[in-house]
Amino acid sequence: MILELDCGNSFIKWRIIADKGIEPVCGGVVDSDGALLDTLSEMSALKLTQCRLVSVRTNEETNTLTLALAERFAIKTVCAVPANALAGVRNGYDDYRLLGLDRWLAVVGAYHLAGTACLVIDLGTAVTSDFVAADGRHLGGFICPGMPLMRSQLKLHTRRIRYDAVDANQSLDSFLPGRSTVEAVERGCHLMLKGFASTQLEMAYQYLDKDFVIFVTGGDAALVSDLLPGARLIPDLIFVGLSLACPLP
């Protein structure tokens, strides 16, 4: 069994696939290295043989995790690294090493699936968008705060904004002007994301070929997918790119 990891700033997304498979056998999201190790240890029926990983964390943090995986499960981890070109996509950054690996692999995965021009929108802790031309040229993109960041910053800098996750979910049952703080914050942040998504679509019509494909991924992808006609909602898009960046025997 192959363990695949997406180590983000806030969470670690994991899944396990069969050695020759594509579809995950199981998977989940944890908030720490320790939680990941404990979760995997509980699944004794699954024999891990290899691991591949993409990380936006520091080298020290990533190395700590790979060493822990080697000690606990006796597996070697292959880590994705920056590249100027991969699987037909040419990195569009002036310095290709500075493009976040999560964005890069999502772009590579999207182009691999579409084979033509793409708009890739990833809604996680941060929200990113990337534009890929039909010939595989990455044209660049944008980064802005996602729902978690917007929400946390308002709570941090505004003393009277206090509410829990249950209230937050219930507040999104409509988009009427909020009549409580939680409704005002959650609906306002959501509308900002919708505005961002709509703007990216408008720009895609300017910069990409007419028949471009829209990919939406990330934990909050469902918040904007209804605004993007024909969008392909693929939660594990980054793992498509990871398999291309780190092929295993």
Side-chain angles (χ1 to χ4, degrees):
M1 295 289 186
I2 298 171
L3 173 64
E4 297 184 321
L5 300 175
D6 170 15
C7 301
N9 292 304
S10 303
F11 300 99
I12 300 173
K13 186 174 184 180
W14 65 273
R15 72 176 194 174
I16 296 174
I17 62 173
D19 290 343
K20 301 298 182 181
I22 298 175
E23 295 300 320
V25 175
C26 56
V29 179
V30 293
D31 59 4
S32 67
D33 292 2
L36 173 67
L37 296 172
D38 291 344
T39 299
L40 296 175
S41 295
E42 293 171 359
M43 297 183 296
S44 56
L46 297 176
K47 176 61 177 177
L48 299 178
T49 57
Q50 302 178 88
C51 176
R52 55 188 168 208
L53 172 155
V54 55
S55 175
V56 297
R57 300 179 173 189
T58 66
N59 290 336
E60 181 180 3
E61 290 172 317
T62 302
N63 290 337
T64 297
L65 176 56
T66 59
L67 288 173
L69 289 168
E71 289 180 4
R72 182 77 66 95
F73 305 107
I75 55 174
K76 180 180 179 181
T77 300
V78 179
C79 298
V81 296
N84 193 42
L86 176 64
V89 182
R90 297 191 299 282
N91 195 309
Y93 262 31
D94 295 331
D95 183 344
Y96 72 89
R97 295 167 297 182
L98 299 181
L99 176 61
L101 279 170
D102 51 350
R103 285 176 63 196
W104 173 235
L105 294 188
V107 163
V108 169
Y111 188 76
H112 175 74
L113 294 176
T116 189
C118 306
L119 166 63
V120 184
I121 300 179
D122 188 341
L123 294 100
T125 302
V127 173
T128 64
S129 68
D130 285 280
F131 301 82
V132 187
D135 62 0
R137 287 178 298 120
H138 173 231
L139 305 180
F142 298 94
I143 305 173
C144 72
M147 285 289 286
L149 281 178
M150 288 191 285
R151 183 185 295 125
S152 65
Q153 286 300 301
L154 282 169
K155 288 183 176 180
L156 178 64
H157 295 290
T158 309
R159 293 182 180 180
R160 291 185 179 274
I161 294 181
R162 295 290 183 273
Y163 55 85
D164 59 26
V166 174
D167 291 335
N169 290 332
Q170 291 176 346
S171 71
L172 293 177
D173 57 356
S174 80
F175 286 99
L176 294 172
R179 300 185 65 181
S180 68
T181 299
V182 61
E183 289 180 352
V185 170
E186 291 296 314
R187 294 175 187 179
C189 291
H190 191 167
L191 289 172
M192 289 187 71
L193 287 190
K194 285 179 174 289
F196 177 84
S198 297
T199 299
Q200 302 316 295
L201 182 59
E202 293 174 4
M203 296 182 72
Y205 283 119
Q206 297 178 42
Y207 295 125
L208 301 179
D209 291 347
K210 180 180 179 181
D211 296 325
F212 63 88
V213 180
I214 306 169
F215 289 89
V216 187
T217 189
D220 285 329
L223 296 181
V224 303
S225 57
D226 61 314
L227 295 176
L228 305 169
R232 297 179 63 177
L233 179 59
I234 304 184
D236 290 341
L237 184 58
I238 192 170
F239 287 130
V240 178
L242 179 61
S243 68
L244 297 168
C246 301
L248 297 172

